[in-house]
C-alpha cells in the first residue's frame, strides 16, 4: 500500500504527561491506551472480551457513534488486543494488551507496518480500495493479523464500496477490517450485513466530569466541580470536545494564576448563570413582566446570547419535569438548584410544564432565526407570561362546556318544532315537521333549496336557491295534505329573496358562534399559546 494511505490523524503517543517536547493538546495526550481507560463503553468492551476469550472474532467490525466517543481509539485498541504478544513474547489475543511488547508500542506510535489506517474522507475512490484488496492477499509481515482501519467509511464512493464487498465478505484469515463512521445511515446495507456492528454511546456527563477531574489533577491544576460539570454538559457526550474545552479553560486559569472556575467557564462558553436563570424562571412563573425583561437584559448586557438564555430555560423546564417524576438528580446540580426544582415541581402541573416547554421552545426557534435576537427573546418571554395564568386545555374545555366562559355574539336561537297538532308557521318549522314525520328527503330539500319569501298559514311563497327537482312542489304539496289534512298553496316566485336558505343560515350561525368563541379573551390567549391548536367539534348543541 502507498504511503498516501497511511495516517488517519496524529498517531497516538505513549502516555507521559510530563514528557518533554512540543505541547500536545489534552485530547491527544489522554487518548485511551487500554480498554479500561475507554469510558462509557462497558457493554462493547464486555462483548469484545468474550469474543477474544472464546476465539470468536469477526473478520470485520463497524464502530459508529457521534464525534469524540472513541471510535478510532477503540479501533486502535482492537488492533492492539489482536496483535499483543505479551511482555514475554508468548501471549495471544487479549482484551488487556500489555502495552510494552513491540506490537503494542508500534501500534501506539502509529508505525506498525501491518496496521494500516486510511481516512476515507480524503481517499474515496475505487483505486484506493483496490490497493487495499491487492495488499490484503499477502500475509502480515510481523503481526498476527493485518488490520485495516478505515475512518469515516461512509465517505467511500458507491463503486469503492462495491469493489470492497467480496473481499469484505470472505477476507483472508490473517486480515481484519475495522470501520469507523459518524453517519452509519450512509453505509450501504450490503456492507453493514458483512460487519459486526458496535454502537458507541454518548458518554454520560457524570463520567465525563470524573474523567476531566482526573485530567486536571494530572496536569497539576485545580478545578471546581461545577466548572467540570459545565464542561461535561457542553461536550454533549464527546470526550474529545470536552477535553478541548478543558484545554481552553486550563489555559485561561494559567494566565490568571487560578484554578478552573465555574464563572470563568460560563463566560468562556457564553452560558448564562444558572442562578440568574432560576431568578428569571421564577419571575416568569409569577407573571412579573418588567422583572423578567430586566433580568434578561441584565444577562444580555453581560454578553450572554439570548438564545443561550432560552436554551437554559428549556433545560430548567426539563429538570423541573424530571423532579416532578421523581427521577434522580443530576450530579452537577447544586443544593440550591435542587431545592428550587423541588419547589417548582410541587407547584406546577404536568400540563403547565408541557405548555411552558412548548412556549419556550417556540421562542428559542424564533430567536435562532430572528434579525433582532434580544427583541425576539423579550417577546417570547412576554408570551410565556401572558399564558402563565391560563388553565390547561382540558380545564379550558370544561369551563367552556359549563358556561363559565362568557361568549358574546352567539347565533339566533333554534326554531321551535311543531307541538302535536300545531301547524308549522315558518320554513324552519316546516322542515322540522317533515323530518319528524320521517319525510327526510323533502326536509333536506326544504333546507337546501328554499329561501323564504312569505309564510302565511298554508300559503307559502319561496324563491329557489338552485334549480328545483321537476316534481318537487307537487311532492311537497301531496305530502303536506296527507300529513295535515289540508291543502297547501305552494308558490315559487322569481323575485330574488334576501333571506338565506335554512342550510346557509345554519352555517352562518355556526361560523358566527365559532368566531365569537375564538374572539373570547381566554380562548384567544390559548390559541396564541398553542399556535398549532384547532377549535373543532363546537356548536350550540355541543356536538
Amino acid at each position: 500500500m502507498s504511503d498516501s494511505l497511511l495516517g488517519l490523524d496524529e498517531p497516538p503517543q505513549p502516555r507521559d504527561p510530563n514528557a518533554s517536547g512540543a505541547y500536545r493538546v489534552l485530547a491527544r495526550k489522554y487518548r485511551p491506551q487500554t480498554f479500561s481507560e475507554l469510558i462509557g463503553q462497558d457493554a462493547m468492551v464486555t462483548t469484545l472480551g468474550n469474543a477474544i476469550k472464546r476465539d470468536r472474532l469477526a473478520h470485520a467490525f463497524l464502530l459508529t457513534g457521534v464525534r469524540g466517543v472513541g471510535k478510532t481509539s477503540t479501533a486502535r485498541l482492537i488492533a492492539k488486543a489482536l496483535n499483543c504478544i505479551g511482555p514475554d513474547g508468548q501471549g495471544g489475543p487479549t482484551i488487556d494488551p500489555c502495552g510494552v511488547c513491540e506490537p503494542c508500542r508500534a501500534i501506539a506510535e502509529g508505525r506498525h507496518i501491518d496496521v494500516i489506517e486510511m481516512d476515507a474522507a480524503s481517499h474515496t475512490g475505487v483505486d484506493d480500495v483496490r490497493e487495499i484488496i491487492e495488499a490484503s492477499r499477502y500475509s502480515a509481515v510481523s503481526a498476527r493479523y493485518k488490520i485495516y482501519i478505515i475512518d469515516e467509511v461512509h465517505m467511500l464512493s458507491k463503486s469503492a464500496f462495491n469493489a470492497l464487498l467480496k473481499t469484505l465478505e470472505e477476507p483472508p484469515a490473517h486480515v481484519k477490517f475495522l470501520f469507523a463512521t459518524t453517519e452509519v445511515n450512509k453505509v450501504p446495507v450490503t456492507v453493514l450485513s458483512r460487519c459486526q456492528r458496535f454502537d458507541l454511546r454518548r458518554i454520560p456527563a457524570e463520567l465525563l466530569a470524573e474523567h476531566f477531574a482526573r485530567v486536571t489533577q494530572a496536569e497539576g491544576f485545580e478545578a471546581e466541580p461545577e466548572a467540570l460539570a459545565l464542561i461535561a454538559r457542553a461536550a454533549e457526550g464527546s470526550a474529545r470536545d470536552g477535553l478541548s474545552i478543558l484545554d481552553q479553560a486550563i489555559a485561561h486559569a494559567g494566565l490568571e494564576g487560578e484554578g478552573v472556575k465555574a464563572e470563568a467557564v460560563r463566560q468562556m462558553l457564553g452560558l448564562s448563570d444558572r442562578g440568574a436563570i432560576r431568578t428569571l424562571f421564577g419571575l416568569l412563573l409569577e407573571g412579573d413582566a418588567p422583572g423578567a425583561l430586566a433580568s434578561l437584559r441584565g444577562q444580555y448586557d453581560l454578553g450572554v446570547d439570548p438564545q443561550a438564555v432560552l436554551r437554559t430555560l428549556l433545560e430548567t423546564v426539563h429538570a423541573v419535569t424530571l423532579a416532578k417524576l421523581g427521577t434522580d438528580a443530576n450530579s452537577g446540580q447544586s443544593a440550591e438548584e435542587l431545592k428550587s426544582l423541588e419547589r417548582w415541581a410541587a407547584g406546577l402541573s404536568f400540563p403547565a410544564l408541557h405548555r411552558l416547554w412548548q412556549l419556550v421552545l417556540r421562542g428559542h426557534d424564533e430567536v435562532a432565526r430572528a434579525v433582532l435576537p434580544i427583541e425576539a427573546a423579550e417577546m417570547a418571554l412576554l408570551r410565556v407570561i401572558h399564558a402563565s395564568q391560563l388553565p390547561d386545555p382540558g380545564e379550558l374545555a370544561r369551563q367552556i362546556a359549563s358556561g363559565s366562559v362568557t361568549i358574546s355574539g352567539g347565533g339566533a336561537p333554534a326554531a321551535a318544532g311543531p307541538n302535536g297538532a300545531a301547524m308549522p308557521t315558518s320554513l324552519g318549522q316546516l322542515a322540522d315537521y317533515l323530518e319528524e314525520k320521517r319525510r327526510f328527503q323533502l326536509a333536506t330539500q326544504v333546507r337546501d333549496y328554499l329561501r323564504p319569501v312569505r309564510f302565511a298559514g298554508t300559503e307559502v311563497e319561496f324563491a329557489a336557491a338552485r334549480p328545483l327537482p321537476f316534481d318537487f312542489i307537487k311532492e311537497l304539496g301531496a305530502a303536506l295534505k296527507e300529513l295535515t289534512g289540508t291543502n297547501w298553496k305552494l308558490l315559487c316566485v322569481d323575485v330574488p329573496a334576501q333571506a338565506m336558505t335554512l342550510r346557509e343560515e345554519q352555517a352562518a350561525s355556526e361560523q358566527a358562534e365559532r368566531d365569537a368563541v375564538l374572539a373570547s379573551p381566554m380562548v384567544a390567549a390559548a390559541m396564541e399559546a398553542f399556535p398549532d391548536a384547532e377549535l373543532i367539534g363546537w356548536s350550540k348543541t355541543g356536538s
Side-chain angles (χ1 to χ4, degrees):
M1 170 159 302
S2 66
D3 293 339
S4 64
L5 296 182
L6 299 178
L8 174 60
D9 55 10
E10 292 285 350
Q13 302 296 326
R15 174 72 52 76
D16 184 2
N18 300 315
S20 59
Y23 175 72
R24 286 184 294 130
V25 296
L26 299 181
R28 288 184 54 209
K29 183 186 294 186
Y30 293 93
R31 185 187 293 274
Q33 299 298 315
T34 65
F35 280 105
S36 61
E37 296 177 2
L38 189 66
I39 59 176
Q41 313 299 341
D42 296 342
M44 182 199 66
V45 173
T46 300
T47 303
L48 281 174
N50 292 337
I52 291 173
K53 290 176 184 177
R54 298 169 183 171
D55 195 22
R56 298 179 64 88
L57 290 168
H59 57 271
F61 297 89
L62 178 69
L63 306 171
T64 180
V66 298
R67 69 195 184 281
V69 293
K71 298 183 296 297
T72 307
S73 295
T74 300
R76 291 169 176 166
L77 290 176
I78 294 175
K80 277 187 183 182
L82 298 183
N83 285 325
C84 178
I85 59 175
D88 59 358
Q90 303 300 316
T94 175
I95 195 64
D96 296 311
C98 67
V100 298
C101 66
E102 177 56 26
C104 284
R105 292 203 313 271
I107 293 172
E109 294 169 9
R111 58 179 175 80
H112 200 295
I113 193 172
D114 292 318
V115 178
I116 301 97
E117 297 189 15
M118 184 181 89
D119 180 12
S122 55
H123 301 87
T124 63
V126 66
D127 291 336
D128 299 309
V129 171
R130 283 183 182 140
E131 287 190 48
I132 294 178
I133 296 172
E134 290 297 324
S136 67
R137 298 177 181 177
Y138 303 101
S139 299
V141 175
S142 62
R144 186 179 295 112
Y145 293 101
K146 179 177 284 189
I147 295 177
Y148 292 94
I149 300 175
I150 303 180
D151 195 24
E152 300 302 341
V153 69
H154 66 274
M155 299 292 288
L156 289 179
S157 65
K158 183 178 180 180
S159 57
F161 273 124
N162 290 336
L164 185 61
L165 284 179
K166 188 62 178 177
T167 301
L168 185 60
E169 184 171 20
E170 298 178 0
H174 60 273
V175 173
K176 301 291 182 184
F177 289 97
L178 303 177
F179 301 138
T181 178
T182 53
E183 300 184 50
V184 69
N185 58 300
K186 294 184 179 180
V187 178
V189 292
T190 49
V191 173
L192 292 176
S193 64
R194 291 166 167 83
C195 299
Q196 189 171 101
R197 173 174 167 176
F198 290 102
D199 291 86
L200 277 67
R201 300 173 53 192
R202 289 182 184 269
I203 305 171
E206 296 81 5
L207 292 180
L208 283 177
E210 294 174 3
H211 179 57
F212 298 156
R214 292 190 293 269
V215 170
T216 53
Q217 184 178 7
E219 291 292 309
F221 285 87
E222 294 184 356
E224 293 180 349
E226 186 179 356
L228 297 180
L230 288 171
I231 295 173
R233 284 197 292 268
E236 297 182 341
S238 169
R240 184 173 62 232
D241 287 7
L243 287 172
S244 297
I245 298 172
L246 181 60
D247 223 336
Q248 184 179 355
I250 290 177
H252 177 78
L255 291 174
E256 299 295 333
E258 301 176 353
V260 179
K261 303 292 185 180
E263 183 60 31
V265 171
R266 284 196 191 93
Q267 293 179 2
M268 186 180 71
L269 296 176
L271 298 176
S272 54
D273 180 75
R274 300 192 76 81
I277 285 294
R278 290 197 298 273
T279 301
L280 175 58
F281 190 72
L283 292 171
L284 292 176
L285 296 181
E286 294 168 6
D288 185 350
L293 295 187
S295 176
L296 175 63
R297 279 286 177 174
Q299 295 189 64
Y300 179 72
D301 292 340
L302 291 174
V304 179
D305 184 3
Q307 190 176 5
V309 174
L310 291 171
R311 182 168 60 248
T312 312
L313 281 175
L314 283 171
E315 293 175 355
T316 303
V317 176
H318 180 254
V320 174
T321 306
L322 294 183
K324 192 170 185 66
L325 288 171
T327 58
D328 294 334
N330 189 313
S331 61
Q333 293 170 340
S334 64
E336 182 181 2
E337 186 172 2
L338 291 174
K339 185 177 180 180
S340 298
L341 294 178
E342 291 174 359
R343 183 177 73 254
W344 290 326
L348 292 171
S349 65
F350 282 115
L353 288 169
H354 295 161
R355 182 168 67 241
L356 275 172
W357 175 266
Q358 292 297 330
L359 289 168
V360 179
L361 181 61
R362 178 185 174 190
H364 178 274
D365 294 342
E366 289 176 351
V367 171
R369 303 188 303 268
V371 177
L372 303 172
I374 183 62
E375 287 80 0
E378 289 178 338
M379 296 302 294
L381 295 189
L382 290 175
R383 185 166 59 237
V384 172
I385 291 171
H386 181 64
S388 62
Q389 302 302 320
L390 286 178
D392 62 80
E395 178 63 24
L396 181 62
R398 287 190 291 273
Q399 291 185 18
I400 294 175
S402 65
S404 60
V405 176
T406 302
I407 300 173
S408 61
N419 54 0
M423 297 287 283
T425 59
S426 69
L427 205 61
Q429 291 185 10
L430 177 60
D432 292 340
Y433 181 77
L434 291 169
E435 196 166 76
E436 180 185 345
K437 299 301 182 181
R438 304 184 66 81
R439 303 300 176 94
F440 299 114
Q441 183 176 0
L442 285 173
T444 299
Q445 291 172 331
V446 168
R447 288 194 172 96
D448 292 348
Y449 297 161
L450 306 187
R451 290 176 174 167
V453 175
R454 186 173 70 91
F455 203 110
T458 58
E459 295 185 7
V460 180
E461 294 182 4
F462 51 83
R466 66 190 68 180
L468 297 174
F470 176 74
D471 53 356
F472 169 73
I473 295 179
K474 179 179 178 181
E475 287 188 5
L476 179 58
L480 290 174
K481 181 177 180 180
E482 177 184 347
L483 295 173
T484 65
T486 304
N487 287 323
W488 287 68
K489 184 178 180 181
L490 306 175
L491 182 62
C492 181
V493 298
D494 292 332
V495 179
Q498 299 299 317
M500 297 181 286
T501 66
L502 296 175
R503 190 73 66 192
E504 292 169 342
E505 182 180 336
Q506 179 185 7
S509 176
E510 290 179 355
Q511 184 61 45
E513 186 174 355
R514 178 184 177 87
D515 292 342
V517 171
L518 293 173
S520 66
M522 184 170 290
V523 177
M527 297 299 287
E528 182 181 2
F530 301 93
D532 295 329
E534 296 181 9
L535 182 65
I536 59 174
W538 174 260
S539 70
K540 289 188 291 185
T541 60
S543 60

